[in-house]
Amino acid sequence: MKNIFGFFFICLIFTTFTYVDNFFLKSDIFFLDEISLEGDIGIVSKELEGEVALLKGRLIWDVDTDKLEEILEEDVRVEEATVRKQIPNKVTIRIKGKKPHFYILYSGKIYSLDEGKKVFSYLEEFPMKDYPILSIKDMEEIEELTEILERINGKQLEGLVSQLYVEDENCIKMVLLDGTVIKTKQEVPEEKYSLLERLYLKLKSGGDPLEYIDIRFRDYIVK
């Protein structure tokens, strides 16, 4: 008798799982009919159109969230993509876009650079920030110019820089918002920029007109 009850119990379990797998889990309530887009969606809106079209009407169980995240993160403008299932019929896609840390002017176009100094977008693809523009003739100059910016990082002078460019092998020009030009070079140490800042602010507070300050030599040259 126990064997008979055991057999029927096993049959019941099997039938239940078969029903759940073949009928309940494939019923209409688990077909995707809502896809929520959050975060910096605008930067990948065109790319998402195709992916969203493929998701609509599919069973939520068939959505490979890891694969979709991987596809979205292949875009150099995306820092992180998160795809989450919300049972029974909703998927949420959240995009975190990269943030520009610098801009470069190269061959007549302005591009955004990420924290790792890599180009990842055109200027118009993200809201513009008050960051300096590095005007370059070749990509090798990026490292040289960003090193100059790192030496004024955290100083008041940092927020006053409008543009940087390499004039020649002996001169890098840092153009401030008021048009004053700072002439510098790679060998100028960080502490000299602190002295430059104090000198510049003192001269400006006195109302003195400034064309340039040259800090490449032992003494400062002011005009």
Side-chain angles (χ1 to χ4, degrees):
M1 182 66 71
K2 288 182 179 180
N3 289 336
I4 294 176
F5 280 119
F7 174 76
F8 278 113
F9 180 74
I10 291 171
C11 288
L12 178 62
I13 295 297
F14 177 77
T15 303
T16 301
F17 275 106
T18 300
Y19 171 79
V20 170
D21 185 50
N22 292 333
F23 298 98
F24 179 67
L25 295 181
K26 294 180 181 178
S27 61
D28 291 347
I29 63 171
F30 296 111
F31 281 96
L32 282 177
D33 64 4
E34 184 179 354
I35 300 173
S36 176
L37 305 177
E38 301 177 354
D40 303 317
I41 293 298
I43 61 176
V44 288
S45 57
K46 291 183 180 179
E47 292 79 359
L48 268 175
E49 286 177 4
E51 297 299 331
V52 168
L54 291 173
L55 289 176
K56 281 282 190 176
R58 293 181 61 187
L59 279 167
I60 195 167
W61 320 113
D62 294 337
V63 176
D64 188 339
T65 56
D66 291 339
K67 182 63 177 177
L68 185 52
E69 287 175 354
E70 183 181 327
I71 291 171
L72 293 171
E73 288 176 354
E74 287 175 355
D75 192 305
V76 294
R77 298 165 298 177
V78 175
E79 182 174 324
E80 182 180 27
T82 305
V83 183
R84 294 288 181 266
K85 298 176 183 178
Q86 293 176 260
I87 307 302
N89 56 5
K90 179 180 178 180
V91 164
T92 298
I93 301 173
R94 183 170 185 82
I95 299 294
K96 181 181 179 182
K98 288 184 177 179
K99 305 301 179 189
H101 283 255
F102 310 100
Y103 297 112
I104 61 167
L105 174 61
Y106 179 66
S107 296
K109 292 286 291 183
I110 298 179
Y111 303 88
S112 300
L113 272 69
D114 61 19
E115 192 173 9
K117 304 171 189 177
K118 303 295 184 183
V119 175
F120 70 92
S121 75
Y122 292 110
L123 172 66
E124 58 269 20
E125 293 183 285
F126 288 84
M128 189 170 183
K129 304 290 185 180
D130 292 328
Y131 298 143
I133 295 175
L134 314 180
S135 183
I136 63 171
K137 297 182 287 293
D138 56 67
M139 290 298 177
E140 285 71 25
E141 292 181 349
I142 292 176
E143 188 67 31
E144 186 175 1
L145 294 175
T146 53
E147 283 182 10
I148 299 295
L149 287 176
E150 286 168 2
R151 289 171 195 167
I152 62 172
N153 183 42
K155 296 179 173 63
Q156 189 174 345
L157 189 64
E158 181 183 22
L160 301 176
V161 178
S162 171
Q163 186 179 7
L164 280 89
Y165 62 94
V166 177
E167 175 83 348
D168 54 46
E169 60 181 12
N170 296 311
C171 182
I172 294 172
K173 288 188 175 180
M174 182 189 302
V175 184
L176 305 187
L177 294 172
D178 65 359
T180 301
V181 175
I182 307 299
K183 296 181 181 182
T184 185
K185 59 182 179 179
Q186 201 66 31
E187 294 76 18
V188 173
E190 183 176 342
E191 56 267 22
K192 202 163 186 179
Y193 288 98
S194 297
L195 295 173
L196 162 69
E197 180 177 272
R198 291 199 291 271
L199 175 61
Y200 169 78
L201 293 174
K202 181 179 179 180
L203 292 172
K204 291 300 291 185
S205 65
D208 296 326
L210 281 176
E211 182 180 333
Y212 69 81
I213 302 176
D214 195 335
I215 64 171
R216 292 175 295 169
F217 311 105
R218 181 173 181 177
D219 296 321
Y220 293 80
I221 302 173
V222 179
K223 181 179 177 181

